[in-house]
Amino acid sequence: MDLVLAEALQLAAASALTLLLLLVFTAHVTAIKMPNLILGEKEKFFRTPNAAGKELFPSIHDHPTKELSVIVPSYNEEERLPLMMDEALEYLEQRQKKDSSFTYEVIVVDDGSKDETTKVALNYSKEYGSDKVRVLTLVKNRGKGGAIKMGVLCCRGRYVLMADADGATRFADIEKVEAALRDLQPEPDNMAIACGSRAHLEKETIAKRSYFRTLLMYGFHFLVWFLCVRGIKDTQCGFKLLTREAAQRTFSTLHVDRWAFDVELLYIAQCLKIPIAEVAVQWTEIEGSKLVPFWSWLQMGRDLLFIRLRYLTGAWNLEMPKKVN
């Protein structure tokens, strides 16, 4: 009996080792070595609604000419985008009236939408001017991370804010993440990241969720902690503020374009010892999420494992590409 058990354990160990080696091999050979940082020819320009023609987007490598850039990834968001834009622009305009030195831009990144997202966003560009609201329309869907990355690489701000198109986070809470960023004192290289967090709402959220979704949530949190990022309770909140230098450094080496991009972003930051703060923000669940609970969590779990394995095996590295765009 003992011999049979020992053989069963050996077989199990050998199978586990074989599976691990297979995962490592698959993660390495399927990795695209360099991140996709290139805009297509039709994507390099933003439209100027009040004038005939188009203008070339600037680069994050240029000198900043705005105080704040707000990047809004949008996929089929013609219905939800107006609420977010109305709230954000009202806040930003009021802030500018109080402080004339404050300047901003909002870049709506249409991630290959099949609806009228671009048209809706261009209406705001017409109303506020293309110096304040710009629309980057991607020809093909790249994923949320890919959309944000393309927007970041075209921005003009000293500070870069990621904000979801559904407006789930109260926009005025930017003041909280700004304060957290200042407290980090990002000198001498001026690199720092402040993350909005919904961790304080976890108990309330669990009470409204099924046991299965709660189990998936805890499983995802464990994988994030075990494989990639420690010390951040909520990696997935779409409200993050970065200094321009931190945005340039992290997004230029970001590979993941789908839902798990936040985790790789923070993984890169922690590897580079970029200081990160986490601050509670007011968040409300908005109907119409593109996240499909089971399959999206499964995809993110796979991405987390591959993030870790690809950096460990050297398939990915933290070196800056020689040329962006």
Side-chain angles (χ1 to χ4, degrees):
M1 186 68 179
D2 290 341
L3 181 60
V4 173
L5 180 59
E7 290 178 347
L9 289 174
Q10 288 179 349
L11 180 61
S15 299
L17 180 60
T18 302
L19 179 61
L20 178 60
L21 291 174
L22 182 61
L23 282 171
V24 171
F25 177 77
T26 302
H28 188 82
V29 300
T30 59
I32 298 175
K33 303 295 182 182
M34 297 300 295
N36 183 4
L37 307 175
I38 307 300
L39 286 171
E41 286 303 314
K42 294 181 179 180
E43 299 169 336
K44 293 180 179 180
F45 301 88
F46 64 91
R47 300 185 212 178
T48 53
N50 298 323
K54 54 188 180 180
E55 292 184 24
L56 189 68
F57 273 109
S59 168
I60 196 170
H61 296 283
D62 298 337
H63 185 75
T65 57
K66 299 289 183 184
E67 180 70 12
L68 175 70
S69 291
V70 181
I71 313 300
V72 187
S74 306
Y75 177 66
N76 293 341
E77 293 287 4
E78 64 177 3
E79 294 184 0
R80 301 197 300 176
L81 184 61
L83 291 175
M84 180 272 168
M85 291 292 285
D86 289 342
E87 179 189 1
L89 289 165
E90 180 181 1
Y91 171 86
L92 293 168
E93 286 291 296
Q94 289 297 323
R95 182 164 170 175
Q96 192 171 62
K97 288 179 181 178
K98 295 177 182 177
D99 179 5
S100 59
S101 66
F102 174 75
T103 55
Y104 74 89
E105 67 172 346
V106 178
I107 302 177
V108 179
V109 186
D110 182 344
D111 190 21
S113 297
K114 298 176 182 178
D115 65 358
E116 300 295 328
T117 295
T118 287
K119 183 179 179 180
V120 170
L122 280 173
N123 287 336
Y124 287 94
S125 188
K126 290 177 183 177
E127 181 178 353
Y128 291 88
S130 59
D131 186 53
K132 289 184 175 179
V133 180
R134 294 182 171 180
V135 184
L136 168 56
T137 302
L138 301 179
V139 175
K140 294 182 179 180
N141 177 267
R142 295 182 184 233
K144 183 180 178 181
I148 292 176
K149 178 166 60 180
M150 293 301 106
V152 168
L153 296 177
C154 295
C155 76
R156 296 174 288 165
R158 289 180 60 228
Y159 299 95
V160 182
L161 177 72
M162 298 157 39
D164 288 343
D166 61 4
T169 303
R170 186 179 67 173
F171 195 84
D173 280 358
I174 185 178
E175 295 174 14
K176 294 182 179 181
V177 290
E178 284 176 324
L181 200 70
R182 286 193 299 270
D183 289 344
L184 291 173
Q185 298 179 341
E187 298 295 343
D189 53 11
N190 201 39
M191 285 205 257
I193 301 173
C195 303
S197 175
R198 305 159 298 178
H200 61 294
L201 302 172
E202 190 170 284
K203 290 183 179 179
E204 179 183 340
T205 303
I206 289 172
K208 297 177 182 178
R209 281 182 173 166
S210 66
Y211 289 115
F212 179 65
R213 289 191 67 182
T214 299
L215 182 64
L216 286 175
M217 180 188 72
Y218 278 126
F220 177 76
H221 287 173
F222 172 76
L223 286 176
V224 169
W225 174 86
F226 183 72
L227 295 171
C228 300
V229 177
R230 299 188 178 183
I232 305 297
K233 294 179 180 178
D234 182 9
T235 59
Q236 300 309 111
C237 181
F239 205 71
K240 293 182 175 69
L241 183 68
L242 304 85
T243 61
R244 185 178 185 84
E245 292 78 6
Q248 177 185 333
R249 185 64 183 87
T250 53
F251 277 96
S252 293
T253 50
L254 186 74
H255 295 79
V256 177
D257 285 340
R258 300 285 168 182
W259 296 107
F261 84 95
D262 299 85
V263 177
E264 190 195 359
L265 180 75
L266 296 175
Y267 176 82
I268 292 170
Q270 289 191 336
C271 287
L272 296 173
K273 301 189 183 307
I274 295 174
I276 304 170
E278 187 174 18
V279 58
V281 293
Q282 184 174 320
W283 183 87
T284 306
E285 188 163 358
I286 307 295
E287 291 184 2
S289 172
K290 307 299 185 299
L291 197 69
V292 181
F294 178 73
W295 294 112
S296 295
W297 289 106
L298 194 64
Q299 180 185 8
M300 284 193 283
R302 181 205 63 187
D303 286 346
L304 293 180
L305 182 60
F306 277 17
I307 288 169
R308 184 65 170 172
L309 292 177
R310 284 168 174 166
Y311 278 107
L312 280 175
T313 61
W316 291 349
N317 60 64
L318 299 175
E319 292 181 10
M320 286 281 286
K322 294 180 180 179
K323 184 179 180 181
V324 179
N325 285 349

